[in-house]
Amino acid sequence: MTVAVATTAALALGDDALVLSHRLGEWAGHAPVLEEEVALANIALDLLGQARVLLSMAGDEDELAYLREERAFRNLQLVEQPNGDFAHTVVRQLYFSTYQHLLHARLATGDGPFAPLAAKAVKEVAYHRDHAEQWTLRLGDGTDASHERMQRACEALWRFTGEMFRPVEGLDVDARALETVWLESVTGVLSRATLTVPEGPRSGAWTAGAGRQGVHTEPFGRMLAEMQHLHRSHPGASW
Amino acid sequence: MATAAAQQTAGAQAHGAGDGTAGPAAYERAFDAAVAADERIEPRDWMPDAYRATLVRQIAQHAHSEIIGMQPEANWITRAPSLRRKAILMAKVQDEAGHGLYLYSAAETLGTGRDELLDKLHTGRQKYSSIFNYPTLTWADVGAIGWLVDGAAITNQVPLCRCSYGPYARAMVRICKEESFHQRQGYELLLALSRGTPQQHAMAQDAVDRWWWPSLMMFGPPDDESAHSAQSMAWKIKRHSNDELRQRFVDICVPQAESLGLTLPDADLRWNEQRGHHDFGPIDWSEFWAVLKGNGLCNEQRITQRRQAHDEGAWVREAAAAYAAKHTAPAPHPQETGAALA
């Protein structure tokens, strides 16, 4: 029973890291400045490293990544959202890395199965969070055009943020307490960036815990088709 | 620059400041002495204008190649067939962006700027390596690029670690370490395919067949047609001729191909006991020149994507500059700084 519960949680956290890493990998060769080519790839690599550890806790990393269909993935809908413009990518990073940092800091202090991973991941994620916050400030408080793009991105992704605080079976954290700290932190960064905190709901019928149940948004299936195509074309091959 | 040559430069500077006319010849003697003594030329040293221009051209082209070279490999990041391979490929593409950054910095020590160099790349006034105008059609191409393209690059670049211009030589030391890691990973990727299923083996062979000749072209035109070679060798920017390096590369690759269990697509390739080298078939230079002139399969695509990334990122760079202007304390007035120091 404990094994199964830990597996559910490992898949949830592992899929978050895997899917977001993939999205960031799509930026390679397209970033607005060379330093961001390095930074985005660096974050993507950290996340992929976390995903590999987590998925290996639940089974074979490649079987899990390449041979499940979209209804079997447990990642948040937030991380599967397309990159959009740089503002969308930054806001997605802000929302997620703040959550991930708080979560891993909490898991690292416990003695559960995720403590060793979290102790390492929390250092990486602190960097991701700093990177996202710095860009939120620069773009929010940069030019009128960048401010407008950031505001749009904040609004567009806001509805996916409630899902992060639905309890996950096997994760020994107080989701409610996490949510309070998250809201405080994100609200603080957005106001320092001269952005307005969105007023819309943070979840709806289709976003409340849906990704964790294997219910995803449309772009996700296409992302998986690309990611899995080669692996699936050569059944049983090793690479 | 160091020791004797530095003293000569100092002497020339003092002398030149004295009467303003005797300088140039003395500077040139000091420069030639430094190069002859295998000393490093540093950014503040005097150097011939043509030496500076050649280095800017070569280092910029090298930096551009790293940046454009991200594209053919990034083409496979989202389709890498295992998480381990995906991590390796992402790390490699990240390294390439880092190499581009080192090299633009090295070029900047010669009095140019990254923005100016990127603009020249975007408008076709500076080139990048012709190899990156070939498409990556299968996963095995990622391995062939690692083994052959990075292998050729290393053969070219290791001698540059002793290049007469200090900042370039030091950048190359760092770059070559990472490149040789990439090359081994490419080789290992091909080995896995070669020993895999028949389909995987065929994929590996097909990739080597397509990348072999373009890799040989990476060493540039034959010695008797190479415009910059003689001067670059005299200045010790270059240490070996194109044909020498190409031969060295072929000699290294032949046994590696054998241990990979793959063949090289050249019917004339054979060991020549007398020369102590492998003979190999003629290179199709018409293809080389066509690709270099912009008529390769991907020239248009590569430069369009680069320009697009730059243009679509303009608002981000503008925002960062605007934010920095708002939030950076104004620099103290030079006179105040002087007063403080005094």
Side-chain angles (χ1 to χ4, degrees), chain A residues 45 48 52 61-62 66 239, chain B residues 80-91 139 185 188-189 192:
Chain A
L45 264 173
L48 185 53
R52 295 182 65 191
E61 60 175 37
D62 285 338
Y66 291 99
W239 300 92
Chain B
S82 74
L83 297 186
R84 174 172 171 266
R85 293 290 178 199
K86 186 172 181 159
I88 291 171
L89 185 56
M90 271 185 182
W139 169 250
Q185 286 166 337
E188 194 252 340
L189 190 165

Side-chain angles (χ1 to χ4, degrees), chain A residues 158-224:
Chain A
W158 191 246
R159 62 184 296 209
F160 298 107
T161 59
E163 192 186 354
M164 297 186 281
F165 308 104
R166 305 279 294 203
V168 175
E169 210 185 348
L171 268 195
D172 181 24
V173 282
D174 180 349
R176 202 53 50 149
L178 212 61
E179 181 165 27
T180 311
V181 188
W182 182 89
L183 258 178
E184 220 170 274
S185 169
V186 166
T187 304
V189 177
L190 293 186
S191 355
R192 275 198 292 145
T194 72
L195 293 161
T196 309
V197 178
E199 281 172 2
R202 294 201 295 112
S203 63
W206 282 94
T207 49
R212 295 276 187 246
Q213 309 303 318
V215 177
H216 294 279
T217 54
E218 282 186 351
F220 184 56
R222 211 165 286 114
M223 191 204 100
L224 281 189

Side-chain angles (χ1 to χ4, degrees), chain B residues 58-134:
Chain B
Q58 183 172 338
I59 301 173
Q61 182 166 319
H62 195 160
H64 299 332
S65 300
E66 296 283 357
I67 301 313
I68 296 287
M70 295 167 69
Q71 290 183 31
E73 296 181 282
N75 184 36
W76 282 91
I77 286 179
T78 53
R79 291 177 290 168
S82 74
L83 297 186
R84 174 172 171 266
R85 293 290 178 199
K86 186 172 181 159
I88 291 171
L89 185 56
M90 271 185 182
K92 183 181 177 186
V93 174
Q94 184 192 14
D95 282 349
E96 280 158 3
H99 295 173
L101 285 170
Y102 300 160
L103 289 162
Y104 285 121
S105 298
E108 284 179 338
T109 64
L110 292 160
T112 179
R114 197 209 298 180
D115 290 345
E116 188 186 335
L117 297 177
L118 280 176
D119 189 55
K120 286 183 174 160
L121 169 66
H122 297 155
T123 52
R125 284 175 294 154
Q126 283 179 342
K127 295 190 188 312
Y128 54 89
S129 176
S130 62
I131 194 79
F132 301 119
N133 292 314
Y134 290 83

Side-chain angles (χ1 to χ4, degrees), chain A residues 18 21-22 24-26 28-35 37-39 41-45 48 51-52 55 61-62 65-66 85-87 134-135 137-139 141-143 145-147 149-150 223 226-231 234-239, chain B residues 67 70-71 74-88 90-94 97-98 100-101 104 114 118 139 188-189 192-193 196-197 199-200 203 305-306 308-310 312-320 322-324 326-327:
Chain A
L18 176 72
S21 166
H22 185 95
L24 292 174
E26 294 172 351
H30 298 273
V33 56
L34 274 178
E35 284 79 356
E37 294 284 1
V38 177
N42 202 319
I43 296 169
L45 264 173
L48 185 53
R52 295 182 65 191
L55 294 182
E61 60 175 37
D62 285 338
Y66 291 99
D85 63 6
F86 192 67
Q134 295 302 320
W135 272 113
L137 295 176
R138 281 189 206 112
L139 299 180
D141 193 14
T143 61
S146 70
H147 178 91
R149 280 174 186 261
M150 278 300 277
M223 191 204 100
E226 182 171 348
M227 181 172 106
Q228 298 181 336
H229 169 261
L230 178 59
H231 185 98
H234 297 261
S238 35
W239 300 92
Chain B
I67 301 313
M70 295 167 69
Q71 290 183 31
N75 184 36
W76 282 91
I77 286 179
T78 53
R79 291 177 290 168
S82 74
L83 297 186
R84 174 172 171 266
R85 293 290 178 199
K86 186 172 181 159
I88 291 171
M90 271 185 182
K92 183 181 177 186
V93 174
Q94 184 192 14
L101 285 170
Y104 285 121
R114 197 209 298 180
L118 280 176
W139 169 250
E188 194 252 340
L189 190 165
L193 294 181
T197 64
Q199 290 88 340
Q200 286 177 305
M203 192 192 280
Q305 181 182 320
R306 178 85 270 288
Q308 209 172 342
H310 189 76
E312 284 173 5
W315 70 271
V316 176
R317 297 189 300 275
E318 282 157 19
Y323 179 82
K326 275 187 229 178
H327 294 274

Side-chain angles (χ1 to χ4, degrees), chain B residues 5 7 19 52 65 97 114 119 144 158 169 201 249 268 277 307:
Chain B
Q7 282 164 18
D19 65 12
R52 188 183 296 275
S65 300
R114 197 209 298 180
D119 189 55
V158 164
H201 182 91
F249 178 68
D268 299 329
H277 289 292
R307 228 184 274 144

Side-chain angles (χ1 to χ4, degrees), chain B residues 160 178 197 205 244:
Chain B
L160 287 174
E178 292 176 348
T197 64
Q205 184 62 61
E244 266 172 57

